[in-house]
Amino acid sequence: SLPFTHGLQPGGTEPPPPGVKAVTVGPSVIGPGDFAVGDVTLEKFAPARGTRATLTSSHPEVAAIIENNQPFVQGACTTSPGAANIQAANFVSQDTTVTISATSGAPNEVPATTTLLVRATELDLDRVSLSPSAVLAGGSSTGTLTMTRAAPPGGAEVLITSSSPGAIVPTSVVVPAGQMSATFTITTRADASFASSTIGGSYNGGFDASAQLTIWPAGTVQGVTSLSLDPSSVVGPASATATLTMR
């Protein structure tokens, strides 16, 4: 074939973008903190410079649109490449159906829609914390259980374990209904030798969370092990919190 050159002069009016014919979300069911991909299909080919679609969420507090990942359809294409552009909130109080809408800015465009189901945060043990985290043998520490959400009617029973016989814990602790946390007491044997005991908790089976309790023999000379500042620098007038750790 022979080459042929055709000259184009500037001018004219750029046509409006084609409308969005359909929007899809995958996966269609996600959990708290998870991502989904919203893709669009245009009614016809995108112009040479491409077409950016805009996604919106009916419940942005549950499933938010990642603005810098809005779908983009390349020129002469009709569909956008997949990219994570929807993220669920880290905490969701109940199963929520979210409507995802998509538009391109075409004249008289009716938004294309689809739905995304965001599952509620499951009830589970989130963390175990101890105060203090180091004691002399014969002393005690207070443990705090924190759940991922408020306990249901009747409360949530969490099983408690200790890896050292020198640290004595209750068999279980009930987080009261409607509450997210509960405390319990850890006692240590007066004749306990040096030990690091793992204080663990489990809800509905499995080993969910734990914290370390250091037990020093009775009569151990106390000393400073660390000193930290938060923040480590300030512009006055201001304040900082100092944390002093003893053994």
Side-chain angles (χ1 to χ4, degrees):
S1 60
L2 297 176
F4 177 78
T5 301
H6 185 80
L8 299 177
Q9 299 297 324
T13 301
E14 185 176 46
V20 175
K21 181 171 67 174
V23 56
T24 59
V25 173
S28 58
V29 181
I30 60 175
D34 290 344
F35 292 87
V37 176
D39 284 328
V40 298
T41 301
L42 301 180
E43 294 175 340
K44 58 183 179 181
F45 294 127
R49 70 171 64 188
T51 297
R52 184 171 300 280
T54 299
L55 300 181
T56 57
S57 168
S58 62
H59 296 284
E61 75 284 359
V62 175
I65 306 300
I66 302 174
E67 291 300 328
N68 59 357
N69 277 356
Q70 293 275 19
F72 182 79
V73 181
Q74 299 284 351
C77 297
T78 57
T79 59
S80 60
N85 45 30
I86 304 170
Q87 183 177 18
N90 290 326
F91 176 79
V92 181
S93 61
Q94 61 184 2
D95 288 359
T96 305
T97 299
V98 179
T99 299
I100 303 297
S101 303
T103 59
S104 66
N108 304 315
E109 182 180 22
V110 176
T113 62
T114 189
T115 57
L116 170 68
L117 177 61
V118 182
R119 293 293 189 188
T121 300
E122 292 185 5
L123 177 64
D124 205 349
L125 178 62
D126 182 43
R127 65 182 181 274
V128 177
S129 57
L130 306 177
S131 180
S133 59
V135 297
L136 289 175
S140 64
S141 176
T142 298
T144 301
L145 305 174
T146 303
M147 309 299 288
T148 55
R149 59 179 301 155
E157 183 178 18
V158 179
L159 302 181
I160 309 298
T161 59
S162 169
S163 65
S164 170
I168 304 168
V169 297
T171 303
S172 65
V173 174
V174 175
V175 179
Q179 301 297 313
M180 290 188 63
S181 63
T183 60
F184 62 97
T185 300
I186 306 161
T187 58
T188 59
R189 297 173 58 92
D191 59 352
S193 57
F194 174 79
S196 179
S197 179
T198 300
I199 308 301
S202 63
Y203 177 74
N204 280 344
F207 188 74
D208 298 321
S210 65
Q212 296 298 124
L213 176 67
T214 301
I215 305 172
W216 294 93
T220 301
V221 177
Q222 296 295 289
V224 177
T225 59
S226 67
L227 174 64
S228 62
L229 299 175
D230 184 24
S232 59
S233 64
V234 297
V235 177
S239 62
T241 299
T243 301
L244 184 69
T245 303
M246 306 287 291
R247 66 169 174 83

